[in-house]
Amino acid sequence: MLDIIKRKNLYFLISLIVIVPGIISLILFGLKLSIEFTGGSRMILTFPKTPTDRTVQSVRNAFATGKVEVVSTQTSGKDLIVRAAPVDEKQAAKISNQIHALAGDFKQESFESIGPVIGAETTTHAFYSVLLASALIVLYIGISFRKVPKPASSWRFGVCAIVALLHDVLVVVGIFSLLGHFFNVEVDSLFITALLTVIGFSVHDTIVVFDRIRENLLRVSGVPFATIVNNSILQTIVRSLNTSLTAMLVLLTLLIFGGASVYWFVVALLIGIASGTYSSIFNASPLLVVWHEWDQKRKLKRS
């Protein structure tokens, strides 16, 4: 029989190996925020051929003529993505005409402009939404598991679920920090949507295992807590893997056929669901055992 609890330190180490590079990247580089958070304008231009350096410079010159600062330019196939200071539609139209004159024919796929105040509000709301979701999850689990028998504690279940949830958030955010630094991948409002979805999925997966632990605690007596937890994991592992794999297959299809607009949103979900499945099996429940063992040692020292 597979003894997951016995190898819990190994699984914790694997989590650290995955999380630490992302945390270092967050400290050094942070996230590459889209204009939805920083404020500014973004214009996506599609040219008949892949934009050359000369074309990119012509576009920059067109913005300079309109006295608009260009923050960055990025090519993606035949597309040129231009991030600049905030501009209104009149300015954008003048710049577009200037680009036609300097760089030739192109199609403007999209244009959006957001002021810095709205960007700051979006950042604040995103932070509070993640914080509120986490607090409500602890409260929900604490109430739902209030009748769990001793030596377990309902609030321990809630806290361990949040630690697993934090693990998943750090994995996703850390990887996107690395992607932003090395591949210029921006974080937008869809990323926050993906994070909240990952939080919900992670907690759902964790609760499935926790609920089985609660059932087994009520059903079995005189069995070590670690054994009950390990058996509960093994009883639910197939269900957890099947649920996750089904969701990931759908997301892989969306990744292939969904287009550029949802590409990184789907990537965030794939990373988060994979991490959530891992943490619910190899982190959340073993943490319950670690906490229980620490509490037992503390009580023995007192007596």
Side-chain angles (χ1 to χ4, degrees):
M1 183 178 70
L2 181 63
D3 195 341
I4 291 172
I5 300 302
K6 186 179 179 180
R7 296 178 178 86
K8 58 184 180 295
N9 291 333
L10 171 63
Y11 302 129
F12 293 154
L13 179 62
I14 291 170
S15 291
L16 282 174
I17 290 169
V18 174
I19 289 172
V20 167
I23 292 175
I24 293 170
S25 177
L26 278 169
I27 294 168
L28 295 178
F29 315 123
L31 290 166
K32 189 174 179 62
L33 301 176
S34 75
I35 62 167
E36 293 174 47
F37 296 105
T38 60
S41 59
R42 177 169 56 196
M43 190 180 287
I44 301 178
L45 313 173
T46 302
F47 291 87
K49 297 179 181 179
T50 301
T52 61
D53 291 341
R54 185 177 177 181
T55 303
V56 173
Q57 188 56 51
S58 297
V59 171
R60 283 182 168 272
N61 292 339
F63 275 85
T65 302
K67 296 181 179 179
V68 177
E69 180 189 357
V70 173
V71 177
S72 67
T73 54
Q74 181 184 350
T75 55
S76 177
K78 295 180 181 180
D79 292 342
L80 177 63
I81 303 166
V82 184
R83 288 186 63 196
V87 297
D88 56 32
E89 290 187 7
K90 273 189 177 180
Q91 284 178 294
K94 288 179 182 178
I95 291 168
S96 184
N97 291 334
Q98 191 67 23
I99 294 171
H100 268 295
L102 295 175
D105 290 335
F106 72 92
K107 181 183 177 184
Q108 185 175 302
E109 292 292 340
S110 68
F111 166 75
E112 55 183 329
S113 186
I114 296 173
V117 174
I118 295 173
E121 285 180 0
T122 305
T123 305
T124 304
H125 292 162
F127 173 76
Y128 283 133
S129 64
V130 174
L131 196 66
L132 179 61
S134 301
L136 289 173
I137 287 164
V138 172
L139 184 63
Y140 168 76
I141 295 176
I143 294 171
S144 298
F145 284 74
R146 65 188 182 279
K147 293 182 180 179
V148 69
K150 298 295 181 182
S153 162
S154 61
W155 297 109
R156 284 185 198 173
F157 280 87
V159 172
C160 289
I162 289 299
V163 172
L165 180 155
L166 184 63
H167 166 278
D168 303 332
V169 169
L170 285 174
V171 168
V172 176
V173 174
I175 288 174
F176 267 77
S177 175
L178 291 166
L179 289 171
H181 180 68
F182 292 107
F183 301 101
N184 292 316
V185 176
E186 294 182 349
V187 168
D188 56 14
S189 57
L190 272 180
F191 178 77
I192 302 302
T193 305
L195 266 188
L196 292 171
T197 306
V198 166
I199 286 171
F201 185 92
S202 173
V203 170
H204 169 268
D205 222 17
T206 302
I207 285 176
V208 169
V209 183
F210 281 3
D211 200 46
R212 183 56 59 90
I213 294 171
R214 177 176 60 177
E215 289 175 2
N216 287 338
L217 283 169
L218 291 167
R219 189 183 301 123
V220 181
S221 59
V223 178
F225 184 69
T227 304
I228 291 175
V229 171
N230 193 73
N231 291 341
S232 301
I233 294 170
L234 296 179
Q235 289 164 13
T236 56
I237 193 169
V238 174
R239 177 182 171 181
S240 295
L241 291 175
N242 285 341
T243 303
S244 301
L245 286 172
T246 304
M248 290 176 77
L249 285 172
V250 174
L251 289 171
L252 281 171
T253 306
L254 194 57
L255 191 70
I256 296 167
F257 301 107
S261 60
V262 295
Y263 183 86
W264 292 111
F265 169 70
V266 175
V267 169
L269 285 176
L270 278 169
I271 295 168
I273 288 175
S275 175
T277 305
Y278 180 89
S279 66
S280 65
I281 296 170
F282 300 108
N283 289 152
S285 301
L287 272 173
L288 278 175
V289 176
V290 171
W291 196 337
H292 170 74
E293 289 174 349
W294 174 81
D295 191 50
Q296 293 296 106
K297 287 177 183 177
R298 185 175 58 85
K299 286 178 180 177
L300 282 171
K301 284 181 180 178
R302 281 184 179 180
S303 58

